[in-house]
Amino acid sequence: MIKSTLSVFFALSFIGVSAQQVILKSESTPMGGSMNTVTPEVAKPAENTLKPFEPKQFESLGQGVIELDHDVVYVGKAAPSGVNIYHLPLFGGYHKSIQQIEDDEAFLADCDKNFDTREKGSLFFSDMGWQYLSEGSKEMATYRFNLAHLLNQKNIDVYWGLGVIEYQQGHYEEAIKLMTQGIETDEKFNVTLMVDLATVHIKCFTENQHPSDLKRAFKILDDAKLLAPNFANTYMQLALANLVNGEIDQAWLQFHKGYKIDPNAVDTQILTQLLNQKPDPQGVFE
């Protein structure tokens, strides 16, 4: 029930809750590596100009979302008895009961009294979601991201955060769906989110060997490189994509490009894999 927690939420809003944004390259994720600062968002080009990034992997069909290349299907229906949809990403795609709809309306009404805009309220709850996620509380984080979504469906942190949660649980295809939705929802290109999405595609390729995943990873990373040429993480993930594709020399080249931009962005797991395949051609790493 939402109503019982509102007083706690709004009490915290006056204390202030800072969020450490957990992205895929944090130490808490399977890929490893160091936390990196989120790059500035890049404004999307006008509609009549060429868009370098066009992720259209998913199609909406009625009330469900069906992925074209993977067997992930969401259908709008009532949740099974005992399932708390507020602990499922985007409410699990289930229809809400009359009581849940009334609770949502009461929640929104209280937020309207406590925040200048619903957008600000959404950011507050998504910040709480990142904070809970940084502490390892995935269920609590999901709940907060869902509340943020109620307030503003264009808040990309909702899709990003829920995507990270799915990724950390090994649900790579669902992470792809959520992060793709976040990129398509945003009015700007968030390069870090793009790189995270590419990272999930690479991981999904290593698990399931879908060629389309690696192809999309390269496309997204190439677009990210065009949008933010000095973002070191892009080159680190390009090195990984080349590595899993058997292109060892190209992987070393991309790795050194990222290292030159920011030595602190070196992904030690990728470095170890590279060294296991071939000594560093430049002799920098041993």
Side-chain angles (χ1 to χ4, degrees), residues 143-184:
Y143 186 21
R144 271 56 179 191
F145 284 126
N146 281 336
L147 295 181
H149 184 261
L150 280 176
L151 288 159
N152 179 19
Q153 295 185 11
K154 292 185 178 182
N155 182 350
I156 69 165
D157 279 302
V158 170
Y159 308 101
W160 194 350
L162 291 173
V164 169
I165 293 171
E166 293 299 300
Y167 177 85
Q168 291 182 352
Q169 297 180 109
H171 305 154
Y172 306 126
E173 294 167 347
E174 296 186 24
I176 288 172
K177 180 181 76 70
L178 287 161
M179 291 184 180
T180 299
Q181 189 173 352
I183 289 174
E184 293 182 341

Side-chain angles (χ1 to χ4, degrees), residues 7-277:
S7 60
V8 176
F9 286 152
F10 292 123
L12 286 172
S13 71
F14 294 105
I15 298 174
V17 177
S18 60
Q20 178 184 1
Q21 185 154 306
V22 180
I23 60 175
L24 285 170
K25 289 185 66 63
S26 69
E27 293 181 356
S28 63
T29 63
M31 297 305 299
S34 58
M35 183 74 71
N36 292 280
T37 304
V38 175
T39 56
E41 294 175 336
V42 181
K44 286 185 178 179
E47 290 298 324
N48 59 351
T49 62
L50 179 64
K51 295 182 178 181
F53 180 54
E54 298 178 353
K56 297 296 180 184
Q57 182 178 357
F58 305 99
E59 291 181 350
S60 296
L61 300 176
Q63 295 174 344
V65 177
I66 299 181
E67 184 177 354
L68 300 181
D69 292 338
H70 300 294
D71 297 329
V72 178
V73 180
Y74 289 102
V75 180
K77 60 183 179 180
S81 177
V83 173
N84 186 343
I85 65 173
Y86 290 91
H87 292 161
L88 301 175
L90 300 182
F91 311 102
Y94 291 114
H95 288 314
K96 293 182 178 179
S97 66
I98 294 176
Q99 182 61 57
Q100 288 169 332
I101 293 173
E102 292 177 351
D103 289 345
D104 287 352
E105 291 175 349
F107 167 76
L108 292 172
D110 283 340
C111 284
D112 289 339
K113 297 176 183 177
N114 286 276
F115 297 101
D116 293 337
T117 65
R118 289 190 177 183
E119 289 76 14
K120 290 183 179 179
S122 180
L123 289 174
F124 169 78
F125 285 103
S126 61
D127 281 351
M128 289 186 70
W130 286 118
Q131 181 64 40
Y132 277 114
L133 184 53
S134 71
E135 297 169 357
S137 301
K138 294 181 177 63
E139 187 175 88
M140 299 296 285
T142 299
Y143 186 21
R144 271 56 179 191
F145 284 126
N146 281 336
L147 295 181
H149 184 261
L150 280 176
L151 288 159
N152 179 19
Q153 295 185 11
K154 292 185 178 182
N155 182 350
I156 69 165
D157 279 302
V158 170
Y159 308 101
W160 194 350
L162 291 173
V164 169
I165 293 171
E166 293 299 300
Y167 177 85
Q168 291 182 352
Q169 297 180 109
H171 305 154
Y172 306 126
E173 294 167 347
E174 296 186 24
I176 288 172
K177 180 181 76 70
L178 287 161
M179 291 184 180
T180 299
Q181 189 173 352
I183 289 174
E184 293 182 341
T185 299
D186 193 21
E187 295 179 354
K188 298 179 180 180
F189 287 117
N190 187 303
V191 175
T192 305
L193 175 54
M194 292 171 65
V195 174
D196 275 1
L197 174 58
T199 303
V200 183
H201 272 298
I202 296 170
K203 183 64 176 180
C204 199
F205 172 76
T206 63
E207 293 287 323
N208 302 320
Q209 297 298 304
H210 291 302
S212 59
D213 278 309
L214 192 57
K215 181 179 179 180
R216 288 192 181 100
F218 276 117
K219 177 63 169 66
I220 295 169
L221 291 169
D222 285 341
D223 292 337
K225 185 170 59 175
L226 290 174
L227 292 165
N230 294 321
F231 188 44
N233 283 347
T234 301
Y235 299 94
M236 290 293 155
Q237 294 308 307
L238 275 169
L240 180 60
N242 287 131
L243 180 63
V244 300
N245 202 34
E247 302 166 323
I248 308 304
D249 291 335
Q250 185 65 17
W252 270 117
L253 179 63
Q254 297 296 342
F255 190 88
H256 276 286
K257 286 181 179 179
Y259 173 71
K260 184 177 180 180
I261 292 171
D262 182 7
N264 293 322
V266 165
D267 189 311
T268 56
Q269 290 195 13
I270 296 176
L271 176 59
T272 299
Q273 293 179 60
L274 283 170
L275 289 170
N276 287 338
Q277 292 294 321

